[in-house]
Amino acid sequence: KSRWVPLDSRTVKLLDLFMEKELLKTPIGLNRYLFLNRSGNPYTRAGISYILLKYTNQLYAEDELSFPKKLSPHC
């Protein structure tokens, strides 16, 4: 499923550098996912939710007012 995500110019530059470093602009790399987990597989919904929960819990521990209590990958 394709998704459209608005990005600012700084993010585009970082993604461009990442894609060059990971050879994603080569014919072989064009068929690869942009981000892979540590096993080399595409991220799952559960994997993304785990990462989001991990880092938001760290932020909540520092300052509860910075983020809403319920945060999901769809926010």
Side-chain angles (χ1 to χ4, degrees):
K1 194 175 206 182
S2 296
R3 307 244 189 240
W4 288 92
V5 179
L7 303 172
D8 76 2
S9 60
R10 295 172 296 177
T11 304
V12 171
K13 286 178 187 176
L14 287 172
L15 282 172
D16 194 46
L17 288 171
F18 175 78
M19 290 173 68
E20 284 183 26
K21 181 183 174 210
E22 296 295 317
L23 304 174
L24 294 173
K25 294 183 174 187
T26 64
I28 294 170
L30 289 175
N31 292 323
R32 204 190 97 186
Y33 285 91
L34 183 60
F35 300 112
L36 302 173
N37 63 22
R38 63 180 154 167
S39 301
N41 297 313
Y43 280 104
T44 62
R45 279 186 265 168
I48 296 292
S49 294
Y50 170 79
I51 292 168
L52 183 61
L53 184 63
K54 175 181 169 181
Y55 289 105
T56 53
N57 283 340
Q58 288 177 6
L59 291 171
Y60 291 143
E62 293 173 17
D63 182 7
E64 290 184 18
L65 302 175
S66 294
F67 284 85
K69 279 290 182 197
K70 187 170 182 175
L71 197 60
S72 76
H74 300 283
C75 292

